[in-house]
Amino acid sequence: MHLSNEQLLELPIYALNKTQKQAFLASQLSFLDNHHLQHCGMYQRLQQGCESISPLTVPLFKEFLLTSITAEDQHRLLTSSGTQGPTSKITLDSETAQLQSRVLTKTLQHWLGKQRLPMLVIDAKATIQKKAGMSARAAGIQGMLFFGRDPHFALNDDMTLNIEVIEQFFEKYKDTPVFMFGFTFIVWQQFIQQLVQMGKRYSFTQGMLLHGGGWKKMQQSAVSNDVFKQQIAQSLGAISVHDYYGMVEQTGTIYIECEHGHLHAPVWSDITVVDAATAEPLGNNQAGVILLNSVLPKSYPGHRLLTEDLGVIHGEDDCACGRLGKYFSVLGRLAKSQVRGCSDTFS
């Protein structure tokens, strides 16, 4: 049975067990398979010759405008944050955009609470003021501003530290819960490292830092998640640190790191780890390529995605944090991204 958007939003985020979740996902994804086959000619052509519905590889969204809506129904065009080469283009109608936004809200409120907290954005205000097409980074900040109040931007337009703003924020909110948000490498290099160099330390009494956007540059700098968290504790005090994983091709779906260091799949999405050579699913604790399913993309065929990321699933329904669903880690990017699905043979 296909669920309406309102019914989807009523689902508990981390409370369906494996059997319940797989039954729900199977029916929703099957509906989306047929929906996109009917409404997206390019998707139909990409699936020709595949024995069953094949997930699309992320680079296909860079090559083609894959859409299941008319130009008149396009409410927004999102682009990925790739710094080199072509970017993914994702078309949203107002219904899909609203569903993604509401799911993101519900997921984040689970971690942040419903009260909007004073917010320190670890980026420059100029990032969100560029008039050209909105980058994924700008869209990420814009989306997160909704969950904070009284936003302070920690960096100047040239990405140097705005120490005055940081001092003001600390003086005003050192004794109240705060929300900090930024992209992992920017948080580390432009914020934490600069604070260390200047010998600045703050002791916030409580708060949360949510950060994401890939560990590739961090690994090149030989910075582990543990080192990252230790340095934040030294520089900022009692701030709990949560990584998140997500991509523009499945906007609204966000995998947040729990207190035990694991990323969690919410009810509307699922992860499988597959062998890079055969695309066969792998068992728990086996490293492979991340395949993501999401029930949210209705305006474009992004519901089954083979990513260019490597990961490992640790388990399902038994994380020490108590949340149900699969929990996993992202290990990095595939070298030269050699994953090919059935639909990749299309040219």
Side-chain angles (χ1 to χ4, degrees):
M1 184 186 79
H2 174 62
L3 299 187
S4 69
N5 287 359
E6 290 306 318
Q7 289 170 313
L8 288 175
L9 285 158
E10 283 167 15
L11 292 168
I13 306 175
Y14 303 108
L16 292 192
N17 65 31
K18 180 178 178 176
T19 308
Q20 296 166 321
K21 184 168 178 178
Q22 292 310 318
F24 153 68
L25 286 172
S27 66
Q28 300 307 300
L29 292 168
S30 173
F31 166 82
L32 288 173
D33 290 339
N34 292 322
H35 172 79
H36 293 305
L37 284 170
Q38 282 176 19
H39 294 96
C40 179
M42 185 66 75
Y43 184 68
Q44 198 176 44
R45 288 161 73 189
L46 286 166
Q47 295 296 344
Q48 277 172 7
C50 297
E51 286 177 29
S52 57
I53 291 291
S54 173
L56 299 186
T57 57
V58 165
L60 286 167
F61 289 89
K62 296 179 170 75
E63 291 178 50
F64 307 109
L65 185 66
L66 292 154
T67 182
S68 300
I69 55 174
T70 62
E72 295 77 62
D73 285 335
Q74 184 178 302
H75 168 70
R76 187 179 296 151
L77 182 70
L78 291 180
T79 58
S80 60
S81 57
T83 46
Q84 282 124 7
T87 56
S88 290
K89 290 175 284 296
I90 305 299
T91 61
L92 301 180
D93 59 5
S94 55
E95 184 191 349
T96 303
Q98 186 188 39
L99 177 63
Q100 290 179 338
S101 174
R102 290 175 72 188
V103 162
L104 179 66
T105 298
K106 189 167 174 177
T107 307
L108 283 168
Q109 284 178 344
H110 171 91
W111 300 87
L112 283 167
K114 291 196 171 175
Q115 192 179 358
R116 291 169 70 168
L117 302 175
M119 184 172 183
L120 186 67
V121 181
I122 301 167
D123 212 309
K125 201 167 192 176
T127 304
I128 61 169
Q129 291 173 331
K130 294 185 175 114
K131 290 287 181 276
M134 187 171 274
S135 71
R137 188 169 127 213
I141 296 168
Q142 286 278 26
M144 290 299 165
L145 285 172
F146 179 73
F147 301 98
R149 62 180 174 83
D150 191 20
H152 286 54
F153 286 79
L155 304 182
N156 296 308
D157 289 354
D158 64 356
M159 302 299 282
T160 56
L161 220 51
N162 189 329
I163 207 74
E164 283 176 36
V165 165
I166 297 162
E167 302 268 350
Q168 282 168 6
F169 185 80
F170 177 66
E171 281 309 313
K172 201 168 176 182
Y173 297 119
K174 60 180 179 241
D175 298 320
T176 56
V178 296
F179 173 37
M180 300 182 187
F181 173 76
F183 290 88
T184 308
F185 189 66
I186 293 171
V187 171
W188 178 254
Q189 182 168 285
Q190 308 303 127
F191 183 59
I192 294 298
Q193 290 304 297
Q194 301 307 313
L195 288 176
V196 170
Q197 281 182 11
M198 295 171 80
K200 294 279 185 185
R201 284 190 177 188
Y202 302 96
S203 51
F204 286 94
T205 51
Q206 51 183 321
M208 172 176 167
L209 166 67
L210 184 66
H211 70 96
W215 283 87
K216 195 163 67 174
K217 285 184 177 172
M218 300 293 282
Q219 286 160 346
Q220 288 164 3
S221 312
V223 181
S224 70
N225 198 0
D226 287 344
V227 169
F228 184 79
K229 287 178 177 174
Q230 283 164 7
Q231 189 58 66
I232 284 166
Q234 284 177 18
S235 295
L236 300 174
I239 300 289
S240 67
V241 182
H242 298 263
D243 189 11
Y244 75 88
Y245 175 63
M247 54 190 58
V248 71
E249 293 83 6
Q250 285 187 353
T251 299
T253 301
I254 187 170
Y255 305 85
I256 297 181
E257 179 191 25
C258 74
E259 304 78 3
H260 296 272
H262 299 132
L263 296 164
H264 280 260
V267 66
W268 308 279
S269 61
D270 204 19
I271 175 173
T272 308
V273 169
V274 301
D275 184 282
T278 65
E280 288 298 312
L282 297 171
N284 291 349
N285 302 310
Q286 289 184 280
V289 183
I290 293 175
L291 193 161
L292 298 175
N293 292 334
S294 170
V295 303
L296 307 185
K298 198 173 170 188
S299 58
Y300 65 99
H303 59 304
R304 299 182 189 267
L305 281 187
L306 193 58
T307 73
E308 298 177 290
D309 297 319
L310 291 167
V312 60
I313 296 170
H314 303 295
E316 184 169 13
D317 293 350
D318 58 2
C319 181
C321 76
R323 296 174 182 88
L324 298 187
K326 290 180 191 165
Y327 55 100
F328 65 101
S329 297
V330 178
L331 304 175
R333 268 292 168 85
L334 266 172
K336 282 287 174 223
S337 302
Q338 280 309 310
V339 193
R340 297 183 77 77
C342 160
S343 54
D344 256 14
T345 53
F346 176 87
S347 64

